Amino acid sequence: MVDLQRLEARLRGAIAGEVRFDKGARAAYAADASNYRQVPVGVVLPRSVEDIVAAIAAAREHGVPILARGGGTSQCGQGVNAALVLDCSKYLHRVLHVDPAARLALVEPGTVCDTLRDAAERHALTFAPDPATHSRCTLGGMIGNNSCGPHSVMAGKTVENIERLEVLTYDGARFWVSCNEDISRLEGKKREIYEKLNRLAHKYGDLIRSRFPKIKRRVSGYNLDQLLPENGFHVARALVGSEGTCALTLQAEARLVRSPQHRVLVVRGFPDIFAAGDAVPEILAARPIACEGLDEAIIGGLKSRGLRLADIALLPPGKAWMMVEFGSDSRQEALAQAKSISGTLIDDPVLMARIWSIRETGASATALNLGGEGPDPVVGWEDAAVDPLRIGDYLREFTALVGRFGYHTSIYGHFGDGCIHARIDFQLRTREGVAQWRQFLESAAHLVVKYGGSLSGEHGDGQAKAEFLPVMYGPELMQAFREFKAIWDPENRMNPGKLIDPYRADENLRLGPDYKPVALPTRFAFQTDVGSGFVRATEHCIGMGKCRAEKGGTMCPSYRGTREERYSTRGRARLLAEMLRGEVITEGWASEDVKEALETCLGCKGCRSDCPTHTDMAAYKAEFMSHYYETHRRPRQAITMGRIGELAPLAAKLPWFFNAINSSVKGLMGIARERSMPKFHTTFRSQFKPNGGRAPVVLFDDTFNNHFRPQTARAAQRVLEDGGCAVRLPREHVCCGRPYYDWGMLDRAKGALERTLEVLAPDLEAGAPIVVLEPGCLSVFRDELRQLFPNDARAQRLARQVRSFAEMAKRLYLPKIGSRVLLHGHCHQKALWGMGADLDVLRKAGCEVASPDTGCCGMSGSFGYRPEFYETSKRIAGLALLPALEADPGRAVVANGFSCREQIEDLGARRTLHLAEVLAEGLDQ
């Protein structure tokens, strides 16, 4: 039995990086993107290569297995194990050097694929493998997995794009491996390993040549073919795809290829997916750089969920589609290549990105069944590969096999390389369902082998497929694999139970027959179109890790600001799931580990839209906190900021007094001393005078625009009245209760909404539009209101009658302004109803609008005011928002969110305007 306390102490004394043996860390790393779950013994986040060496030495002293984990997006279970996890993505993520002349790059193992590709693109080069997770998968993980992606058609899998590796074995040997090395000149452990590998290659060479499938996407098994003399005895490439079962990668030298500077896309429709497969030989003859297929199940699933409808409208008619990309350094040449095949030609980069996004996110977005009825499609048989010239015939037999077992599937994949992805509705939660699944796996493996294919064409073997490798390779080559691993890892301590001598495919299932989560009572209804309840809510996360993307969109600002797995949407979802299991996290709603992870959530709702499965961490946080604080005392900020809607009316009686003392009592209020305090003003409501008009409109005087920025509300009134509206206020001031949610004060939030419904009852009955200036308040009415009052007709009516200021202004005559503006969107607005109306209004008013991707501002209500989160808030603002402001100093900054405006004015030193103020200034002109 391993003494984990001694191991933890040994690690803390040996490395400069972080050592995590707490429940929260172990829970966060217990699952990847596969069907599997194994709780690690601990987690190490090394700051240097020396830390990795020291960590392995400590593990070796205690006999503890090692799992090197990349982005955690593995789909076959190779990213989880009952081992010491090494995660290099927090600190070891640099591109160390790019040599454009030699077309080589040196990277650390935690380097994200897109980071390398961006660095290479500065020299018109690229790293060709680009899996759908390219925004967050790491080079270490890609090397372990032998990752591919759409553009492997252009330049191969990861194995063809690695030249050298610096590796570390479990016994502590550290050396570089490459190809065509003179073994006689080597020394020590490296020479010993090379001599054994050379003997292995000679012993099994003829069998490797005859039995290894001759296809581009053979990913299953070890790459023993790379040890053959005709392949240069390439030891580095032999280790690619070994899934961390042999050695750790410390550094990698990657091959770069020319990146076509002009790309065009041809989208072609087919009557069915079989016809699409039959067309692959013709399409490949045109020499595309990517050739992707998908069927109507993916598109139909998106349509039924109301997702990406505008993007889907770009597709030509059909029930299956091929997306074929051509590239060249000349636009004319790329167009000429594209025109050699039939289909819809797209050369607008924006439209191309939208089409590709369907392919990249479609399967994840449809991963949960509508209504929550029946088993969800899962990655239980995901990425087999055959000769691309035989795809059509293979698909006919494969879909017939799926039908015989009574399953349903969607089909998509890298048709140009013969790799087929399938999401099948296996029933893995019952023992009978698992038994049937095992029968299917056996049959599917034999079918692939019949076509000379590979069980895996991209995602590796891990635990999901490794059990069936003998069907593909036979007993002798399986023995060769076993000997290959033993050469590197004779003690079987490197990711044991994966790829070779594996766990069964039906062991360690995350949502298998033994999955019995506790259904706890909740305040929110958690009603969604894929099933209701908190247990189902925690199942939304399927582990694909888009929340770990370092740029683009909003999700997940706390991860981007910290690079912490447990502070990602996925990490938090894993902690909540473990809480409901009650095995690792046993304290339920009182868990300090869950509370700590959720407290860093900004509640931005970015995951509500950016996550393909719409994980709603802001709601999960509010729910958890509501129960946690039933047995714990809330901090003082819960009063000073969480109850601002109650306190502001009191401060309004003596605004000058509270403004005078605010700065001196920031410490008592729990506000960071670096923060500027918003000023109280004479309220808008106290100054409001209706000025007539035709169409009645209710202007909701929210707490922030009523007490802190009344000039915004005055501007809104003026614009609305100029457009012919008869503006009135609710019969008394009410607050939507938005600040309550950060602190889990859901009973107070519900009470505030109940009062709001009562006050607005006459306006709701009259059908008057209710214009809301603050996006955070509008999001309450469109989101939380429905979850707290799921069966209340008044709540449904209010949700329908509220309008953003832009949605109302679109209907009015607008002044011509002609200003140059930079528009920053509130996270809740981007997540729930988007920025389209604001852009339309500004353009209609003659503005020249820049709307860069500014992500999350980092303030997010009270988050940025808290001393413990101030630096994180600054880092988040510095990722996208502040650079965008600095790059365009001459534009007026338009931001509707109160907290966004405070952050921009505080950290960016720029005056901000609400959209209403921009239009009101136009009236003056």
Side-chain angles (χ1 to χ4, degrees):
M1 178 69 79
V2 176
D3 188 332
L4 295 182
Q5 288 186 330
R6 290 187 61 189
L7 172 60
E8 181 181 2
R10 171 75 173 82
L11 286 165
R12 291 189 186 281
I15 74 170
E18 300 177 43
V19 178
R20 309 273 180 77
F21 276 62
D22 57 279
K23 294 178 180 179
R26 295 171 63 228
Y29 286 84
D32 52 11
S34 73
N35 296 322
Y36 300 99
R37 168 187 176 268
Q38 287 180 277
V39 180
V41 299
V43 179
V44 169
L45 309 178
R47 291 180 182 268
S48 65
V49 168
E50 288 67 32
D51 274 358
I52 299 177
V53 175
I56 294 297
R60 184 171 62 252
E61 291 171 13
H62 291 77
V64 172
I66 291 291
L67 166 62
R69 174 160 155 152
T73 57
S74 303
Q75 296 194 25
C76 294
Q78 58 268 62
V80 293
N81 214 325
L84 180 66
V85 172
L86 297 184
D87 181 356
C88 295
S89 64
K90 184 172 183 178
Y91 297 112
L92 299 177
H93 52 74
R94 297 174 299 166
V95 177
L96 299 172
H97 179 64
V98 174
D99 184 342
R103 296 188 177 181
L104 295 172
L106 185 66
V107 300
E108 294 178 318
T111 303
V112 169
C113 178
D114 274 358
T115 302
L116 172 58
R117 294 170 72 215
D118 289 346
E121 200 64 54
R122 299 186 191 109
H123 308 282
L125 301 172
T126 191
F127 184 66
D130 59 340
T133 55
H134 53 81
S135 63
R136 60 269 194 199
C137 65
T138 68
L139 265 292
M142 294 178 72
I143 290 164
N145 229 40
N146 195 9
S147 299
C148 307
H151 292 96
S152 62
V153 170
M154 177 173 69
K157 309 181 293 297
T158 298
V159 68
E160 285 90 27
N161 291 279
I162 292 297
E163 295 300 336
R164 296 193 305 144
L165 297 175
E166 185 184 17
V167 300
L168 176 70
T169 62
Y170 188 79
D171 60 11
R174 175 181 175 183
F175 49 87
W176 282 89
V177 295
S178 59
C179 66
N180 288 321
E181 295 178 80
D182 186 345
I183 298 177
S184 67
R185 300 172 68 99
L186 303 180
E187 298 178 347
K189 186 68 174 181
K190 179 175 179 180
R191 176 166 182 164
E192 176 189 333
I193 288 175
Y194 271 51
E195 286 175 341
K196 290 180 179 178
L197 293 174
N198 191 42
R199 289 195 292 271
L200 182 76
H202 280 90
K203 178 180 178 180
Y204 292 102
D206 290 341
L207 197 59
I208 293 168
R209 293 182 184 95
S210 63
R211 287 295 302 269
F212 269 46
K214 306 298 189 293
I215 60 172
K216 294 177 68 175
R217 284 296 191 98
R218 184 204 52 76
V219 170
S220 279
Y222 290 119
N223 283 316
L224 300 187
D225 56 323
Q226 295 294 332
L227 298 177
L228 300 178
E230 59 266 33
N231 292 325
F233 191 66
H234 208 313
V235 177
R237 292 183 177 177
L239 283 173
V240 173
S242 57
E243 301 183 1
T245 62
C246 295
L248 285 165
T249 297
L250 303 179
Q251 296 184 83
E253 186 178 76
R255 178 175 77 105
L256 305 177
V257 298
R258 186 72 184 168
S259 176
Q261 296 301 289
H262 296 275
R263 303 184 185 215
V264 296
L265 188 67
V266 176
V267 185
R268 188 166 165 184
F270 295 89
D272 54 44
I273 198 67
F274 314 126
D278 293 337
V280 169
E282 168 208 342
I283 291 171
L284 290 181
R287 303 183 65 184
I289 61 172
C291 177
E292 302 288 289
L294 74 164
D295 71 358
E296 64 177 339
I298 295 284
I299 299 302
L302 291 171
K303 284 182 176 178
S304 63
R305 291 162 174 81
L307 301 175
R308 299 198 172 277
L309 300 182
D311 301 337
I312 291 171
L314 299 172
L315 299 176
K319 293 187 176 180
W321 294 266
M322 294 278 277
M323 301 170 182
V324 188
E325 187 175 270
F326 295 89
S328 174
D329 289 337
S330 158
R331 182 173 181 272
Q332 290 72 22
E333 185 176 341
L335 286 170
Q337 291 175 345
K339 290 176 181 177
S340 67
I341 66 171
S342 61
T344 301
L345 178 62
I346 301 173
D347 62 353
D348 180 337
V350 174
L351 295 182
M352 288 173 61
R354 287 169 58 185
I355 292 290
W356 277 121
S357 71
I358 298 174
R359 164 61 185 87
E360 289 186 354
T361 63
S364 296
T366 57
L368 302 172
N369 269 341
L370 289 175
E373 298 295 329
D376 296 318
V378 295
V379 291
W381 178 264
E382 224 282 323
D383 64 320
V386 298
D387 185 334
L389 303 185
R390 304 184 69 188
I391 283 186
D393 290 338
Y394 169 73
L395 286 176
R396 289 179 178 90
E397 287 204 53
F398 177 70
T399 55
L401 176 66
V402 171
R404 283 199 299 275
F405 276 83
Y407 295 136
H408 303 87
T409 187
S410 59
I411 291 176
Y412 60 105
H414 314 293
F415 280 31
D417 274 344
C419 180
I420 305 301
H421 294 307
R423 295 291 172 91
I424 305 174
D425 56 346
F426 299 119
Q427 174 54 274
L428 303 185
R429 301 195 186 197
T430 67
R431 302 201 184 282
E432 297 78 13
V434 169
Q436 184 185 31
W437 174 52
R438 286 190 56 84
Q439 294 173 16
F440 175 87
L441 293 177
E442 184 83 25
S443 300
H446 282 281
L447 177 61
V448 169
V449 171
K450 170 186 171 182
Y451 276 84
S454 175
L455 306 191
S456 172
E458 181 160 43
H459 296 148
D461 300 310
Q463 180 177 342
K465 302 188 187 75
E467 181 185 354
F468 302 97
L469 286 179
V471 176
M472 177 176 168
Y473 285 110
E476 291 175 285
L477 280 178
M478 292 305 298
Q479 180 58 28
F481 291 160
R482 197 167 285 109
E483 292 175 23
F484 178 76
K485 175 176 168 61
I487 290 170
W488 295 98
D489 178 31
E491 296 182 49
N492 192 28
R493 297 286 83 192
M494 299 295 291
N495 207 11
K498 311 298 163 119
L499 203 155
I500 191 69
D501 296 325
Y503 296 104
R504 296 192 319 273
D506 56 330
E507 290 184 271
N508 306 316
L509 289 174
R510 181 167 57 89
L511 303 179
D514 295 328
Y515 172 60
K516 298 289 189 294
V518 177
L520 300 172
T522 59
R523 291 178 167 89
F524 280 131
F526 292 106
Q527 289 185 349
T528 73
D529 60 358
V530 294
S532 300
F534 192 59
V535 170
R536 184 58 169 171
T538 65
E539 294 173 2
H540 276 221
C541 176
I542 59 171
M544 290 307 297
K546 192 180 177 185
C547 48
R548 286 175 54 106
E550 296 179 346
K551 60 184 179 181
T554 301
M555 179 180 72
C556 171
S558 55
Y559 174 77
R560 292 178 183 180
T562 63
R563 302 184 73 93
E564 279 278 357
E565 170 69 20
R566 73 168 106 191
Y567 299 157
S568 69
T569 305
R570 180 179 70 182
R572 295 183 178 107
R574 294 296 184 238
L575 264 73
L576 288 168
E578 291 295 333
M579 180 189 84
L580 297 182
R581 279 181 178 273
E583 298 169 14
V584 177
I585 295 175
T586 57
E587 303 87 359
W589 295 124
S591 168
E592 292 294 335
D593 294 283
V594 178
K595 185 255 188 182
E596 189 269 342
L598 287 172
E599 201 165 33
T600 59
C601 170
L602 281 76
C604 70
K605 295 184 183 285
C607 48
R608 185 80 153 67
S609 60
D610 290 357
C611 172
T613 54
H614 308 295
T615 300
D616 189 1
M617 196 53 61
Y620 307 168
K621 172 188 177 180
E623 184 68 51
F624 175 86
M625 293 299 182
S626 76
H627 298 282
Y628 176 85
Y629 285 119
E630 290 173 344
T631 56
H632 296 76
R633 184 176 180 179
R634 284 187 172 89
R636 59 189 182 278
Q637 295 101 325
I639 298 174
T640 59
M641 290 181 276
R643 296 176 65 179
I644 188 64
E646 301 171 50
L647 300 179
L650 301 178
K653 299 180 186 300
L654 292 170
W656 57 270
F657 173 74
F658 284 94
N659 290 336
I661 67 169
N662 262 348
S663 294
S664 60
V665 297
K666 281 194 283 188
L668 291 174
M669 296 171 67
I671 293 173
R673 57 181 175 80
E674 300 91 342
R675 279 292 178 198
S676 299
M677 295 288 286
K679 302 292 186 185
F680 287 100
H681 292 270
T682 302
T683 66
F684 167 68
R685 176 172 280 267
S686 68
Q687 305 170 66
F688 174 75
K689 293 180 181 178
N691 295 305
R694 298 180 303 275
V697 169
V698 178
L699 181 58
F700 186 80
D701 55 325
D702 64 87
T703 295
F704 302 107
N705 287 303
N706 188 38
H707 292 91
F708 298 104
R709 292 186 183 263
Q711 69 274 17
T712 296
R714 287 195 297 269
Q717 178 188 359
R718 187 177 174 200
V719 173
L720 292 171
E721 289 179 342
D722 186 78
C725 296
V727 178
R728 64 174 185 260
L729 302 184
R731 56 188 170 90
E732 64 180 76
H733 175 70
V734 286
C735 178
C736 72
R738 164 53 65 200
Y740 290 136
Y741 296 90
D742 290 342
W743 308 97
M745 292 189 279
L746 296 188
D747 292 337
R748 287 184 179 272
K750 189 169 185 178
L753 286 173
E754 180 64 53
R755 182 61 185 152
T756 299
L757 290 170
E758 291 173 4
V759 169
L760 291 176
D763 304 304
L764 295 176
E765 189 64 31
I770 299 168
V771 177
V772 183
L773 300 176
E774 169 58 41
C777 300
L778 183 55
S779 70
V780 169
F781 297 142
R782 288 183 168 173
D783 189 8
E784 283 91 351
L785 174 67
R786 286 170 159 156
Q787 295 297 340
L788 288 172
F789 295 85
N791 303 309
D792 192 315
R794 300 171 304 161
Q796 303 305 316
R797 178 175 286 181
L798 176 56
R800 290 193 300 269
Q801 283 181 222
V802 287
R803 306 282 187 274
S804 72
F805 178 77
E807 290 166 350
M808 195 69 203
K810 277 179 67 174
R811 307 176 183 186
L812 308 178
Y813 170 80
L814 299 175
K816 291 298 179 184
I817 303 170
S819 301
R820 297 176 66 247
V821 303
L822 186 152
L823 177 64
H824 167 72
H826 188 286
C827 291
H828 290 192
Q829 179 171 350
K830 289 184 285 191
L832 296 179
W833 65 93
M835 301 302 298
D838 296 74
L839 288 167
D840 289 345
V841 167
L842 287 167
R843 288 167 181 156
K844 184 178 176 182
C847 293
E848 180 194 325
V849 187
S851 183
D853 185 352
T854 50
C856 175
C857 75
M859 183 67 92
S860 196
S862 62
F863 181 87
Y865 284 101
R866 297 175 64 177
E868 63 269 39
F869 298 136
Y870 176 72
E871 290 300 326
T872 300
S873 174
K874 277 181 61 177
R875 281 196 299 274
I876 293 168
L879 294 172
L881 174 59
L882 296 183
L885 296 175
E886 292 165 6
D888 216 341
R891 292 182 184 270
V893 180
V894 180
N896 297 334
F898 175 79
S899 58
C900 303
R901 298 179 71 176
E902 292 294 311
Q903 183 82 314
I904 291 168
E905 293 175 2
D906 204 24
L907 300 182
R910 295 280 289 276
R911 177 187 179 227
T912 64
L913 296 169
H914 190 283
L915 176 62
E917 293 171 288
V918 176
L919 298 182
E921 288 186 1
L923 294 177
D924 292 334
Q925 297 172 18

